[in-house]
Amino acid sequence: MDRESTFPDRRHTDNLAGRILTNYQVVLERIASSARSVERNPDQIRLMVVTKGHQLEVIEAVVAAGARLLGENYIDEALIKMQALSTIPGIEWHMIGHVQSRKAELISRHFSFVHSVDSLKLANRLNRFTAERNQLLPILLECNVSGEGSKFGLKAWNEGEWDTLVNEIAPILDLPALEVRGLMTMPPFFPNPEEARPYFQRLRRLKNYLQERFSTPSWEELSMGMSGDFEVAVQEGATIVRVGTAILGERTG
Ligand SMILES: *Cc1c(COP(=O)(O)O)cnc(C)c1O
């Protein structure tokens, strides 16, 4: 008798690659059912796997499982991984962490997308370095919609002050080498994901507000939702969810 057919689940829990494959597929399935629960098409949502703090073998396992959209927070750590995985075609690296101005050159050179643009100063630097190479860099504007002090992002928690925000955002939209694609947020952590819902709703309202104020760009992307709350974020309109722990396990680095 074939042992594997007696214990069909063992293969998938005993080894790293199998466990990560299962986790990845489960998260994809949860995204799809969350989308269907609000009559959204699951194809409108991309799953980003957040690989910060993980070893190469873990990242290789999730790439083998089919992941091609990877998110990193720190340039030095990311460069090592990019180098190591450079022979695998089709991997897209997105910057999701806070960007220090002095790292803007490296970030603009090595990432295909930056989710965490939160000031005109940073946008100017990314624009300058990207323009020097005659390229375009897609970005999202990171917004703090909760008022939590520890969070980065444009101050967007007070809906009565969104007029001021429009004035802050307008000059970023004029930078020729940056393509503003939408908004990103990171609400406070809540054990109950329902508590994050009002913040996801606020980000979507802000997107609608900006769409009315500016005819271009199209503001199509909403990057929101992490391991603990991505299903709620999908229900509220996320187009990119950023999931680490639920797929790769606890960070080790
Ligand atoms: C680390 C991180 C994530 C992923 O968090 P998990 O809880 O591990 O899913 C998502 N977004 C940002 C900006 C992060 O820094």
Side-chain angles (χ1 to χ4, degrees), residues 20 23 54 58 244-252:
I20 287 176
N23 292 345
H54 284 287
V58 171
T245 316
I247 297 171
L248 306 179
E250 294 297 329
R251 287 179 271 277
T252 52

Side-chain angles (χ1 to χ4, degrees), residues 50 52 73 96 184 186 226-227 242-245 251:
V50 177
K52 66 156 178 269
N73 293 56
I96 62 172
M184 180 274 222
M186 201 166 152
M226 319 195 335
S227 287
R242 311 179 307 266
V243 180
T245 316
R251 287 179 271 277

